[in-house]
Amino acid sequence: MSAPLQIVLGTLALSLIHALIPGHWLPLVTVGKAEGWSRQETLWITALTGSAHTVSTLLIGVAVGLLGYQFAYNYEIVTHLVAPAALIGLGLVYLSKPLRQRLSLGCSQGDSHSVEVTVSRSGRNKATTVMALAVAMFFSPCLEISAFYLSAGALGWLGIALVSGVYPVVTVLGMVLVVNWGWQSAKPFSAAISTWNLSGYALTGLILIVLGFLTLFIDM
C-alpha cells in the first residue's frame, strides 16, 4: 500500500467514526429541537459548529505534522518508531475508555472532545446559542487525527495536505448527514446511545492501533 493511499484511507476511517460518535451530533439535535429550530437551520448550524471543531484540530494537527516534517532527516525514526508508538498508545487509551466507563458506575463524563449542552426553549438570542456551541466545538479538537498528523508529516507537505483536505470535509459532511438522520430517528434509538458512544471509542481505538502497526511494519 502506497504512503499517500494509507494516509487517505486512515484519515477517512478516523473522520467517519469521529463524526458518528453521538457526543458530536446528538447535542446539536437536542439543542435544535429545544430551541425550536427548523431542520434546515439545525443542519446549517451543524456545518458551522463542525467547521469550528475541525479548525482547531487542523491548527494542532498541522503543528504536529510540521514536527514530523522537521524530523524528515530522521525519516526512519519518525515513521517506524515515533509515529507508530503515538498511534498505538492513543489507540489503547481509546480502547480503555469503554472499560473504564463500565467499571465506573454512575460516571457521567463524556468524550474528551465531545460537546454536551442542555438548553430549554427560551427567548435567548439564537446567535448566542450558536456561538456557545461553536466555541465549545472549537475547544474540543479531535486528538486522534492530531496524532495521525505525525505520520503524515513524515511524508512532507503532501501528507499534511492530504489529511488537512480529507478530514474537515468528511467530518463536517458526516456530522450534517447524521444530524439529519437523528432529527427523526434519535429518540427511538436513545436507549442505545450510550452503547453506541462507547462502541465508537472502541472502534476508533482499534483503527488507531491498526494504523500504528501498518506504519510500523509496512514500508511507506
Side-chain angles (χ1 to χ4, degrees):
M1 183 186 297
S2 67
L5 180 58
Q6 182 178 325
I7 293 297
V8 169
L9 293 178
T11 306
L12 277 172
L14 289 173
S15 300
L16 285 172
I17 298 302
H18 181 72
L20 289 172
I21 292 176
H24 293 79
W25 59 266
L26 187 59
L28 291 160
V29 174
T30 303
V31 171
K33 287 185 175 294
E35 291 291 336
W37 299 340
S38 68
R39 182 199 296 236
Q40 185 175 7
E41 284 178 315
T42 305
L43 295 180
W44 277 110
I45 291 169
T46 297
L48 175 64
T49 56
S51 296
H53 180 57
T54 61
V55 166
S56 61
T57 301
L58 289 175
L59 290 175
I60 296 174
V62 169
V64 173
L66 289 175
L67 179 63
Y69 181 66
Q70 289 299 316
F71 286 104
Y73 62 91
N74 281 327
Y75 181 81
E76 293 295 323
I77 295 177
V78 173
T79 59
H80 295 296
L81 181 60
V82 179
L87 293 174
I88 293 171
L90 188 58
L92 291 173
V93 171
Y94 271 83
L95 276 178
S96 69
K97 190 175 184 67
L99 178 60
R100 286 185 286 112
Q101 287 200 356
R102 287 193 173 96
L103 292 176
S104 302
L105 297 177
C107 177
S108 60
Q109 183 178 0
D111 182 15
S112 61
H113 53 267
S114 66
V115 180
E116 296 181 5
V117 182
T118 302
V119 297
S120 57
R121 184 173 302 187
S122 63
R124 78 182 71 204
N125 190 302
K126 182 187 296 184
T128 301
T129 302
V130 174
M131 181 62 67
L133 286 168
V135 169
M137 285 290 225
F138 180 83
F139 286 102
S140 57
C142 173
L143 297 180
E144 59 268 27
I145 289 291
S146 297
F148 193 52
Y149 265 99
L150 188 59
S151 294
L155 301 178
W157 284 105
L158 174 61
I160 295 174
L162 286 174
V163 180
S164 300
V166 173
Y167 164 70
V169 174
V170 175
T171 297
V172 174
L173 181 59
M175 288 177 64
V176 169
L177 291 175
V178 178
V179 166
N180 184 61
W181 168 84
W183 191 260
Q184 294 295 334
S185 308
K187 188 174 181 180
F189 290 95
S190 59
I193 290 297
S194 178
T195 300
W196 185 0
N197 220 10
L198 294 179
S199 298
Y201 303 145
L203 187 54
T204 297
L206 287 173
I207 290 173
L208 286 168
I209 291 172
V210 169
L211 289 172
F213 278 108
L214 283 175
T215 306
L216 185 62
F217 293 114
I218 295 179
D219 185 10
M220 298 173 64

